[in-house]
Amino acid sequence: MDKRYLKRTILKKEIVSDHLGETRPFQVYLPPEHDMDQSYPVIYLQDGDDYFNLGRLATQANRLILDGQAHPFAAVAIPVDKKKRTSEYAPHGERNPLYLRFFAEELVPMVERDFPVAASVDDRVLGGSSLGGTVSLHLALTHPDRFRRVLSQSGAFLPPTLEAIRRAESLDGLEIYQTVGKAESDVPTHMGSLNLLARNREVCRALQEKNARVLYSEQEGGHTWGFWQKDLPQALLTFFGK
């Protein structure tokens, strides 16, 4: 592997959240040879530690940028306490409304103030896998003026997601990259076994009925980081490719 791919700039930061009532750490990846006076398009990733450690996001982003396949972009990795994950990420979760407000009203403004990232709605992408994909889509549904581009890998979509989509008057401003594994028809979760293949198909149809731009694909793979890591380069090129 080219050693340049392994040299990454990842800055660590904390944010004191009034909405969540706690201090949250996060990390910011900046592209190779970045200029702090520039404003780079940015992807915000739920389960951020996992995307960096298991998805190999920084290495994969470096390769795409250095090989000339992608425009330089930044990435913000937001970790989550696994004990609070469902409460914050699931649409029926007790802390979900607070998390949505934290993300839109506290985190994003701070990142845009303190780091060289663009503040345009067209330059923001929200991404996540499983329930991380779910909460990313709900952020876009709740704040369509701020978030219009979503990366969802194996979204763990629940009935409230379909209800939220169907309540929307139009989603013609929404762009979503949506993938799911063909082996995800019986995924064990703490909420019971979920047919995420069928649920993703339902969400895709509902989004298309509301005129969202959906790049949907079913691929070989299961509900694992092996699948999501392999899919990540294409997902990133969808939003940042040349």
Side-chain angles (χ1 to χ4, degrees), residues 11 13 26 28 30 36 110-117:
L11 308 177
K13 189 81 171 182
F26 65 93
V28 179
L30 295 177
M36 295 300 286
M110 179 183 184
V111 170
E112 293 177 350
R113 182 188 70 235
D114 294 350
F115 296 93
V117 303

Side-chain angles (χ1 to χ4, degrees), residues 137-157:
L137 177 56
H138 276 266
L139 275 162
L141 294 173
T142 305
H143 300 283
D145 57 326
R146 301 185 192 185
F147 310 116
R148 297 176 188 166
R149 311 184 83 193
V150 174
L151 184 165
S152 172
Q153 296 181 301
S154 304
F157 297 122

Side-chain angles (χ1 to χ4, degrees), residues 92-145:
H92 62 279
E94 181 180 353
R95 289 169 60 88
N96 181 255
L98 298 175
Y99 184 79
L100 298 185
R101 293 188 65 185
F102 152 73
F103 197 98
E105 299 174 12
E106 296 176 329
L107 177 68
V108 171
M110 179 183 184
V111 170
E112 293 177 350
R113 182 188 70 235
D114 294 350
F115 296 93
V117 303
S120 163
V121 63
D122 293 326
D123 287 323
R124 297 186 196 112
V125 181
L126 307 179
S129 60
S130 193
L131 277 176
T134 306
V135 73
S136 295
L137 177 56
H138 276 266
L139 275 162
L141 294 173
T142 305
H143 300 283
D145 57 326

Side-chain angles (χ1 to χ4, degrees), residues 43 49 51 54 63 95 102 111 116-117 133 142 159 162 171 190 203 206 222 226 232:
I43 181 166
D49 286 352
Y51 265 98
L54 303 176
R63 179 177 61 80
R95 289 169 60 88
F102 152 73
V111 170
V117 303
T142 305
L162 278 171
L171 296 174
H190 67 282
V203 164
L232 190 56

Side-chain angles (χ1 to χ4, degrees), residues 47 50 80-86:
D47 294 304
D50 288 341
V80 65
D81 182 341
K82 300 298 184 184
K83 296 178 181 178
K84 300 176 182 177
R85 186 173 183 269
T86 297

